[in-house]
Amino acid sequence: MKKLLLTSIAAAAAMTIAPASAADLGARPIYTPLARIAAFSWTGCYIGGNIGWGSGRDTVSIPNLAETTGVPELAGVSLPSVTGNTQGVLGGGQIGCNYQFAPNWVIGIEGDGEAASIKGDVTESVSFTDPRTGGPNTVTGTAHAQTDWIASATGRLGWTWNRVMLYAKGGVAWAGDRYSADLAAFNEHIETRVARPGWTVGGGVECAFWHNWSAKVEYDYYDFSTRNLTLPGTIFGIPEVVPGINIKENISTVKFGINYRFGAY
């Protein structure tokens, strides 16, 4: 009788424990939220640095030689344009903010600025007909152009595949330039510095990696149009001011950048 009673109690206990153990096993998946990873988002602000290479084209023209030389008899005489190439390194930083929506599109704003050493020289002989003598005249000179810095404020539009974003950008731009020219025949040297406004368009690809960091490769085209400049200097050691020189400029750059994204997953 005692054996039968003990057997019954043991069986009842086993039946009680078994459902509880099964319930525990079934409840373990409830803790899976600890293992879930939130969907990646580009939304947020960032700051970073970049380094790259730039090349440009500067076209110099003098549409009215009378204005440039101060000789009234040369009114209506223009000199053919001369184009020179520039190239060199640049590097700086950028700061901006993104917002991801719908769900793969990203819009954003960005400001960047780079110190640069994009420079070049061109030596050219330009011929024109001198109305005072009716004969040909030739002027030989060397022109130098150098871009010391570039800055821009742009909007961005991107399309994402999780941690990879392809984007385009465009907006306003500025460049700090130095121009000079030397005419050996007149012992003449003229030069000036100028900050030029313009516009820019570009695009690139950016990849997010290790926590809050991302890397990008970007191409940008800058157009600073044509600007009429006045260059002070000396001729035969005498101070002079030379107005009426038109310089057209555009620059292309390729940059590699690293960004730190605040609050990113």
Side-chain angles (χ1 to χ4, degrees), residues 114-196:
E114 291 81 34
S117 181
I118 303 172
K119 57 187 177 180
D121 298 300
V122 60
T123 299
E124 194 81 14
S125 295
V126 177
S127 298
F128 64 97
T129 300
D130 191 333
R132 296 171 300 178
T133 63
N137 203 340
T138 300
V139 176
T140 300
T142 298
H144 174 80
Q146 178 169 331
T147 298
D148 293 323
W149 56 266
I150 301 175
S152 68
T154 56
R156 301 205 308 171
L157 178 64
W159 176 263
T160 70
W161 296 267
N162 193 21
R163 290 176 173 266
V164 178
M165 176 170 62
L166 184 68
Y167 64 90
K169 61 184 292 189
V172 295
W174 300 265
D177 292 325
R178 284 188 285 170
Y179 300 109
S180 64
D182 291 279
L183 282 72
F186 304 101
N187 191 24
E188 183 177 16
H189 175 79
I190 54 177
E191 64 177 305
T192 192
R193 293 175 180 261
V194 61
R196 302 185 60 154

Side-chain angles (χ1 to χ4, degrees), residues 8 15 37 173 247:
S8 299
M15 292 177 65
I37 298 176
I247 302 179

Side-chain angles (χ1 to χ4, degrees), residues 56-77:
R57 288 174 61 85
D58 290 86
T59 300
V60 182
S61 60
I62 298 177
N64 186 352
L65 200 55
E67 178 188 5
T68 303
T69 62
V71 179
E73 291 83 2
L74 297 179
V77 178

Side-chain angles (χ1 to χ4, degrees), residues 6-16:
L6 291 172
T7 302
S8 299
I9 293 172
M15 292 177 65
T16 303

